[in-house]
């Protein structure tokens, strides 16, 4: 199964659901200052679940947080045979949803070998996105 990193909050017990599905799951905080790595880069990373878009901030801060987390983990993702990124947004927040979509679209163009998508913070929908074949 996949090596998964949840960068930021663990929405709805997501880590437990992914572990039950057979994935190896690690958690990393989103507390780095701008320009610094978000967390120590793992050796193996197949899936990044990026929850920076859930932070109660402005649109610009959400975009910057999502992009910073993704950028910090791109080297490890690019070593994976089938890398996946899920930008998680708050479905009740148009700013959060827009930020997740903007980052997904722009990074998908720049890194066509990485499958980048968005999902609401519902843990079961995130598990479905992670479980899809590339």
């Amino acid at each position: 199964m996949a090596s998964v990193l949840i960068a930021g909050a663990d929405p709805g017990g997501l880590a437990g659901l992914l572990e039950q599905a057979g994935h190896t799951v690690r958690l990393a905080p989103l507390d780095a200052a701008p320009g610094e790595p978000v967390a120590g880069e793992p050796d193996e990373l197949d899936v990044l679940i990026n929850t920076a878009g859930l932070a109660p901030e402005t649109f610009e801060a959400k975009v910057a947080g999502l992009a910073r987390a993704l950028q910090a983990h791109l080297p490890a993702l690019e070593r994976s045979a089938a890398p996946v990124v899920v930008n998680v947004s708050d479905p009740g927040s148009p700013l959060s949803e827009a930020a997740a979509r903007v980052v997904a679209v722009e990074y998908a163009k720049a890194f066509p070998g990485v499958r980048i998508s968005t999902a609401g913070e519902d843990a079961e929908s995130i598990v479905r996105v992670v479980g899809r074949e590339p």
Side-chain angles (χ1 to χ4, degrees):
M1 286 297 183
S3 171
V4 178
L5 177 69
I6 300 174
D10 177 4
L14 177 61
L17 290 173
L18 290 167
E19 287 172 344
Q20 287 175 357
H23 301 292
T24 302
V25 179
R26 289 176 283 201
L27 301 171
L30 288 173
D31 57 2
E36 293 181 13
V38 175
E41 183 179 316
D43 294 333
E44 295 180 23
L45 183 58
D46 301 308
V47 178
L48 171 64
I49 298 172
N50 189 356
T51 67
L54 296 175
E57 299 174 2
T58 65
F59 175 77
E60 292 81 8
K62 289 176 187 297
V63 168
L66 286 162
R68 194 170 72 240
L70 205 160
Q71 192 69 36
H73 298 294
L74 270 171
L77 285 163
E78 289 182 310
R79 289 190 291 269
S80 172
V84 175
V85 174
V86 181
N87 287 330
V88 180
S89 66
D90 174 357
S93 167
L95 289 180
S96 177
E97 290 179 322
R101 279 194 301 273
V102 164
V103 172
V105 167
E106 293 305 313
Y107 273 83
K109 286 186 226 175
F111 299 93
V114 179
R115 183 169 51 97
I116 303 174
S117 60
T118 62
E121 65 181 316
D122 169 30
E124 289 163 358
S125 68
I126 297 168
V127 170
R128 282 192 299 276
V129 171
V130 170
R132 285 189 205 151
E133 292 299 318

